[in-house]
Amino acid sequence: MIKKLYNTNTLEKSELIQVIKDNMDSLDPKLLHYAAKTREKYYGKKVFFRGLIEVSNYCKNDCLYCGIRRDNDKVKRYRLSKEEILNSCKVGYKLGFRTFVLQGGEDGYYTDEIMVDIISTIKNSYPDCAITLSLGEKSYETYKKYFEAGADRYLLRHESATVEHYNKLHPSNMEFEHRKDCLYNLKDVGFQVGAGFMVGSPYQSIENMAEDLLFLKELNPHMVGIGPFIPHKDTVFAKEKAGTVHMTLLMLALTRLLLPKSLLPATTALGSIDPKGREKALRIGANVIMPNLSPVDNRKNYALYDNKLSTDSEAAESVNSISKSIREFGFVPDFSRGDYIHWKR
Ligand code: SAM
């Protein structure tokens, strides 16, 4: 079945479920081999760097799993000003980054006018850089304004493609159908789009994971963010178990085979539960890393889950030592924009 997946880049739902079951205890070496080979076919040994700027931890949403959910009153809230965001870009540019990822909670402070001003100022200051946004669900018109202002990419994980499961992770005012519409709107506007999900989130079944993979195949995004769920002490899911490294690697490998050209980050969440997590992810087909470029004082307050890394191996200022370890793993750090293969705006 793995050979079939490698050759055809697709499987039926029942086959995917079977592959997941077959690899629950240990990963078939064939999976590792074909996933790595597929990544190499399109992107070689390159690992693309993105500088992550966590612009705000204010959020109007109350996702049950998330440490910065609206109802968590223990969070020290912050938002970065335009000047602070530009300063992070300046620091990042000097360090060599050519993609800036602006991520944050759904914070009403950033009106379209404010965001468009921030995006166009970054673009004018650094025309050779890509701007990625990850600011949640917005209207078609807003996405279009962001794009026209110069944003290139947008990350919006679908979180779960099974409605019943999605509803167990989110309050009743949030709907999978709406998130899905946003993802298709983003593609329509012209963004390079990223979807994705957490592995091992509460109530997630094998079937749910197969649905997530099939949804990804249908959407055909350019990027896929897959990391383990990790509980946060001040959320509804404080006492739930974290997702495992093993299952996260399995989902990454299957995604690489289903979407051969995708850009797949070795996520901070994976690095946070296993010091070797990033290396393992790169070996199984991941090809992006996103070190933290936020102002150092704010990082601890963007705590999506407990013990989230933001220093050392996850910090942009450690870029030299991160590059060194990537070379030691046998990969090639790449500081270009790192667009989706053959991408033209
Ligand atoms: N507000 C934007 C959005 O909705 O896409 C971006 C910020 S949101 C905090 C970024 C991602 O963090 C989510 O898509 C979710 O998958 C992940 N996340 C949140 N809480 C998490 C947790 N407890 N464990 C692992 N990942 C988590």
Side-chain angles (χ1 to χ4, degrees):
M1 212 109 75
I2 293 170
K3 189 86 194 276
K4 179 178 172 196
L5 176 58
Y6 171 68
N7 286 329
T8 63
N9 305 126
T10 188
L11 283 183
E12 299 294 322
K13 183 173 169 185
S14 57
E15 295 172 320
L16 267 178
I17 291 177
Q18 195 55 50
V19 175
I20 298 173
K21 283 186 179 160
D22 291 346
N23 286 275
M24 294 285 279
D25 296 328
S26 63
L27 293 180
D28 186 331
K30 280 206 291 294
L31 196 58
L32 200 124
H33 170 75
Y34 285 127
K37 194 170 160 175
T38 304
R39 189 275 308 276
E40 263 184 49
K41 182 170 168 196
Y42 296 103
Y43 294 104
K45 296 264 186 201
K46 287 178 188 171
V47 176
F48 300 108
F49 278 63
R50 326 287 199 204
L52 176 65
I53 308 170
E54 294 159 338
V55 295
S56 169
N57 68 359
Y58 283 88
C59 193
K60 72 175 173 60
N61 293 330
D62 214 20
C63 308
L64 276 63
Y65 45 83
C66 186
I68 61 166
R69 66 201 298 259
R70 185 195 59 215
D71 283 359
N72 182 4
D73 54 16
K74 299 212 174 90
V75 181
K76 192 171 164 232
R77 303 282 169 177
Y78 75 88
R79 71 170 60 91
L80 303 186
S81 63
K82 177 184 173 187
E83 288 64 39
E84 288 172 309
I85 295 172
L86 280 161
N87 192 52
S88 292
C89 295
K90 186 172 166 189
V91 172
Y93 194 86
K94 275 202 193 131
L95 289 169
F97 290 89
R98 294 295 178 268
T99 290
F100 304 121
V101 182
L102 274 50
Q103 191 189 81
E106 290 196 23
D107 180 354
Y109 164 83
Y110 297 101
T111 58
D112 289 357
E113 202 183 343
I114 293 178
M115 243 5 261
V116 161
D117 178 41
I118 293 172
I119 296 165
S120 52
T121 309
I122 299 175
K123 203 65 180 190
N124 289 332
S125 313
Y126 306 102
D128 53 334
C129 292
I131 301 174
T132 304
L133 302 175
S134 178
L135 302 170
E137 298 175 27
K138 311 278 174 192
S139 68
Y140 188 95
E141 291 68 37
T142 295
Y143 286 148
K144 202 162 167 57
K145 285 183 197 167
Y146 291 170
F147 186 73
E148 283 166 0
D152 302 277
R153 310 183 189 133
Y154 204 103
L155 307 175
L156 184 76
R157 288 186 177 179
H158 65 276
E159 312 295 3
S160 171
T162 314
V163 172
E164 299 77 50
H165 182 233
Y166 185 94
N167 290 344
K168 287 182 181 162
L169 303 179
H170 298 96
S172 56
N173 65 336
M174 293 181 74
E175 283 179 13
F176 173 64
E177 275 306 312
H178 188 255
R179 211 151 173 97
K180 184 175 165 182
D181 287 347
C182 287
L183 284 162
Y184 279 98
N185 286 343
L186 286 162
K187 278 195 99 177
D188 191 61
V189 166
F191 282 102
Q192 292 175 63
V193 175
F197 62 101
M198 294 178 290
V199 178
S201 60
Y203 312 108
Q204 186 184 51
S205 64
I206 293 176
E207 188 163 355
N208 296 152
M209 285 184 265
E211 295 272 3
D212 285 321
L213 295 171
L214 288 172
F215 173 73
L216 289 170
K217 183 71 195 164
E218 173 197 308
L219 175 71
N220 195 21
H222 309 88
M223 303 163 285
V224 184
I226 295 179
F229 158 76
I230 306 174
H232 184 289
K233 61 182 183 343
D234 302 316
T235 61
V236 181
F237 294 149
K239 298 268 178 298
E240 300 289 336
K241 272 206 260 135
T244 63
V245 176
H246 174 83
M247 287 306 286
T248 306
L249 295 175
L250 174 56
M251 291 302 122
L252 281 171
L254 294 175
T255 303
R256 170 57 67 207
L257 292 170
L258 287 163
L259 298 170
K261 298 179 187 172
S262 54
L263 290 155
L264 284 182
T267 57
T268 304
L270 190 59
S272 297
I273 58 168
D274 179 354
K276 284 192 178 291
R278 182 149 69 198
E279 178 181 351
K280 292 176 185 169
L282 294 176
R283 290 200 191 290
I284 207 151
N287 58 349
V288 172
I289 57 157
M290 295 169 54
N292 199 316
L293 193 51
S294 310
V296 176
D297 288 348
N298 296 112
R299 291 184 195 170
K300 61 181 177 310
N301 296 320
Y302 199 83
L304 306 179
Y305 43 82
D306 292 335
N307 305 316
K308 174 171 167 275
L309 292 184
S310 62
T311 54
D312 300 328
S313 62
E314 290 294 330
E317 54 288 2
S318 313
V319 69
N320 288 335
S321 65
I322 301 173
S323 297
K324 186 165 168 267
S325 31
I326 284 177
R327 267 187 235 102
E328 282 164 5
F329 303 154
F331 297 96
V332 182
D334 188 297
F335 282 86
S336 68
R337 279 172 50 117
D339 287 293
Y340 187 75
I341 192 164
H342 306 318
W343 176 260
K344 288 236 163 33
R345 191 175 161 123

